[in-house]
Amino acid sequence: MNSFQNLSRALEEMPTTRSQRARGRGRSAGRGRGGPASSHGSTTPAVPVRGHSGLFYNLQDMSPPSAARASQGITADFFVDRVRRHESERGAYFAFQLNRPASVRIYNPVEEGQDIECTCEDFQTTRAICVHIYWLFDGLNALLDTSTAPPSGRLDRTDIVTRASAMYGLIGAQLPSLPTVLNATHDELASDSDDAVEDIRSPTFPDARADQVCDMLSVFDTGRLPDEFGQDFAPVPSDDTPQNFYVPHSLAATIYRLAIRDESVFRRLRRVITHDVCANAHLSKLRARARDAFAKLDSYIEDGPTVNNNQDIPRCARILRSIVDQICQTRNIRTSSGPLSTTVVMRVPEILVEILQEVCNRNEDVYYRIGWERETGEDEPDRNRNLYAYLIDDPPRFSVSAPSWMQETFIVDRLEQMPAHEWRHLIERLTTILDQIREHTHPEDQPPVAYRKLDGMIQDYTTEAFEPSSSSVQRRLTLNDPRESQRRRLE
């Protein structure tokens, strides 16, 4: 609770950004957020209106109701949660899910003909271009340039439909990164000023806004991972009323709802709880789970099976393999979604090597001197009594249907897949582990696959790191040439 109180104070003390001040001025002038604009007493702007992307639009030729919608839409603070391609009876279309109960659809002009629509109540009732379509069009208009349809300064229906249809192919080509770059067209993200904040999108992990918020809030939970932490939260109501934001007796659930529905709250959270903070917390929890797996195995060996602990060596090995896979998945997904600090990235091989070291330290028959009666079959493999043998020296052969992380060379395969600069600071520890494996191997036996792979990794890195470059070799050969020495003396 104290952690959330400190977070609340930090959020309150954060400075107001330029775009937030601009939005405040817009609301004080009677402009709402996300609903249809009222035509009551409205007039068409006489000067071009600047959209959130930075482009200017001339609204003079539009009717007052349409101009009011357009002005509200292009200056709104919506957010793209995800973009997906769908098939329907009408044909294929790209759906842009916003952080409102609205999805803008751009249809394939080849199959359906040029068309764009929104699922919001305003569009479904009036069939007029709504604020959501205006907002998305402004962002796409600034980002996707085509030779046949340069960025437009008009916002009438024909221009929007024609332009959006011309972008259909480009949307497909840029689909993975499109949410990120669309959301970055907000002024406070595109600015080079002190108001600029860290990239608030992670297109692969987490993909949806709710997942991102769970990722941030789970930092304050001591044991649960983001997907486990999010199970506590009920779906967020679509009605943006204060009563729906408040969750009795739960500050975390209240912040969760606010951050999903309120853009400014989400950005302030992301400024405080960065991607590095989330990744570091995630890795720390997985490391703690690995240590807990070793501790439960020790407890099982000491006391025997209990109601709460039946973790023998095969079960412990499976848990450790699963944790290793989760650690590497976390690294791959988070680094592909955006840059992480070197410190966080290097924690991954550090944790893996720590686990590998602990396994190598456990080369023994753990049931040799137990004080409780253990039931075993006559054909029990020796590896079932030795964690090191089970994971390193003589791992069981799994069926082809088993997950890939059950069949790989424990940890070493994962280290091989990483760039050498991420684990080179661990070369001494890896060499020590290599020596341990060699000592554990009987002189007449073939060393295990893990030894051969790890030895190859270290040799390749050492050769590459200390092998002289071709230019330095040539320079030494030249200096050792007697003719070159005579020439230098004559000079």
Side-chain angles (χ1 to χ4, degrees):
M1 189 66 181
N2 291 334
S3 298
F4 278 109
Q5 289 173 343
N6 294 335
L7 173 62
S8 300
R9 286 195 293 270
L11 293 176
E12 291 173 359
E13 295 169 358
M14 297 205 62
T16 304
T17 62
R18 185 176 59 256
S19 60
Q20 290 164 351
R21 291 192 292 268
R23 289 197 292 272
R25 289 194 298 270
R27 286 193 288 271
S28 65
R31 183 165 61 84
R33 294 180 59 188
S38 172
S39 60
H40 207 46
S42 61
T43 59
T44 303
V47 296
V49 178
R50 184 178 186 271
H52 74 275
S53 70
L55 294 180
F56 287 86
Y57 297 90
N58 188 351
L59 310 183
Q60 283 184 302
D61 296 335
M62 303 175 69
S63 66
S66 296
R69 271 195 185 90
S71 178
Q72 181 180 344
I74 64 176
T75 58
D77 57 353
F78 299 138
F79 189 93
V80 177
D81 262 341
R82 66 181 69 202
V83 184
R84 292 289 186 274
R85 185 180 184 276
H86 297 276
E87 297 282 350
S88 68
E89 294 181 357
R90 292 186 54 188
Y93 63 88
F94 287 110
F96 293 77
Q97 180 63 53
L98 306 186
N99 62 326
R100 292 289 185 273
S103 178
V104 179
R105 299 173 177 176
I106 299 178
Y107 285 88
N108 186 342
V110 177
E111 299 178 3
E112 170 60 20
Q114 297 180 348
D115 196 15
I116 185 171
E117 65 178 17
C118 183
T119 59
C120 72
E121 183 179 354
D122 183 33
F123 182 90
Q124 296 298 319
T125 302
T126 66
R127 307 304 295 181
I129 299 295
C130 64
V131 292
H132 310 108
I133 294 178
Y134 283 124
W135 181 88
L136 178 63
F137 175 75
D138 176 49
L140 292 175
N141 199 28
L143 292 170
L144 303 179
D145 184 24
T146 66
S147 57
T148 57
S152 172
R154 297 172 57 84
L155 288 175
D156 59 67
R157 184 185 186 91
T158 302
D159 284 327
I160 289 178
V161 172
T162 302
R163 171 71 172 159
S165 298
M167 297 174 185
Y168 189 87
L170 294 172
I171 293 172
Q174 299 190 28
L175 192 60
S177 61
L178 202 51
T180 302
V181 292
L182 271 175
N183 295 328
T185 56
H186 287 281
D187 282 349
E188 69 181 87
L189 290 180
S191 169
D192 292 330
S193 71
D194 292 338
D195 285 342
V197 300
E198 182 182 359
D199 179 12
I200 59 176
R201 279 294 295 173
S202 181
T204 308
F205 179 87
D207 187 47
R209 172 68 68 86
D211 294 331
Q212 293 192 66
V213 176
C214 284
D215 191 35
M216 290 188 283
L217 295 184
S218 66
V219 167
F220 299 93
D221 190 272
T222 56
R224 289 179 297 175
L225 301 177
D227 55 337
E228 301 163 348
F229 184 79
Q231 295 173 4
D232 289 350
F233 302 135
V236 179
S238 58
D239 185 12
D240 287 355
T241 59
Q243 292 80 4
N244 286 334
F245 288 150
Y246 173 65
V247 180
H249 313 298
S250 178
L251 178 59
T254 301
I255 294 178
Y256 172 78
R257 292 189 174 189
L258 280 169
I260 289 178
R261 306 300 298 176
D262 191 304
E263 184 74 14
S264 62
V265 173
F266 176 80
R267 291 185 181 180
R268 286 171 180 249
L269 274 176
R270 175 51 82 199
R271 177 178 280 182
V272 175
I273 312 171
T274 64
H275 291 297
D276 267 8
V277 171
C278 293
N280 201 42
H282 198 155
L283 291 173
S284 295
K285 292 173 186 178
L286 291 172
R287 181 190 188 189
R289 292 188 179 191
R291 291 178 171 179
D292 183 64
F294 289 120
K296 285 185 175 179
L297 176 61
D298 292 338
S299 177
Y300 176 87
I301 295 167
E302 181 71 24
D303 304 322
T306 63
V307 175
N308 298 322
N309 184 15
N310 192 30
Q311 189 169 294
D312 57 7
I313 281 179
R315 289 187 179 89
C316 180
R318 183 181 179 88
I319 290 171
L320 290 173
R321 283 187 177 274
S322 175
I323 291 171
V324 167
D325 181 65
Q326 291 179 68
I327 290 171
C328 296
Q329 288 279 8
T330 297
R331 172 202 174 275
N332 295 341
I333 294 173
R334 289 184 184 272
T335 54
S336 66
S337 303
L340 293 175
S341 70
T342 303
T343 303
V344 174
V345 172
M346 287 185 173
R347 279 204 73 195
V348 173
E350 288 171 2
I351 296 173
L352 295 182
V353 170
E354 179 182 300
I355 296 172
L356 183 60
Q357 180 82 71
E358 182 64 24
V359 170
C360 289
N361 291 340
R362 291 170 175 261
N363 181 27
E364 60 179 348
D365 182 344
V366 297
Y367 302 125
Y368 179 62
R369 295 180 179 177
I370 58 173
W372 50 277
E373 185 174 348
R374 178 174 177 264
E375 296 181 4
T376 62
E378 294 182 359
D379 57 346
E380 180 185 41
D382 289 342
R383 71 170 74 93
N384 285 17
R385 306 171 64 89
N386 185 321
L387 185 64
Y388 167 79
Y390 198 98
L391 286 170
I392 304 293
D393 189 52
D394 184 29
R397 295 178 179 271
F398 297 96
S399 67
V400 293
S401 61
S404 59
W405 51 267
M406 289 290 293
Q407 305 180 48
E408 65 190 11
T409 304
F410 183 65
I411 291 184
V412 178
D413 276 354
R414 297 303 182 109
L415 291 173
E416 269 191 321
Q417 297 168 10
M418 297 178 188
H421 69 265
E422 292 185 11
W423 52 262
R424 66 187 177 192
H425 64 295
L426 302 168
I427 202 75
E428 288 292 333
R429 294 179 66 182
L430 290 172
T431 303
T432 301
I433 291 172
L434 190 68
D435 292 340
Q436 273 187 290
I437 298 176
R438 183 172 59 247
E439 292 171 2
H440 293 333
T441 305
H442 192 276
E444 296 181 1
D445 292 340
Q446 189 79 358
V449 174
Y451 176 88
R452 299 196 296 271
K453 288 188 174 183
L454 187 57
D455 184 48
M457 275 177 55
I458 295 174
Q459 292 292 339
D460 289 345
Y461 171 72
T462 305
T463 301
E464 183 178 346
F466 297 103
E467 186 177 59
S469 64
S470 58
S471 60
S472 62
V473 171
Q474 181 61 39
R475 185 168 58 85
R476 287 201 300 272
L477 290 174
T478 302
L479 291 175
N480 292 331
D481 189 336
R483 290 171 298 178
E484 177 64 17
S485 299
Q486 183 179 8
R487 186 188 66 80
R488 294 170 68 87
R489 284 196 300 271
L490 290 174
E491 291 177 349

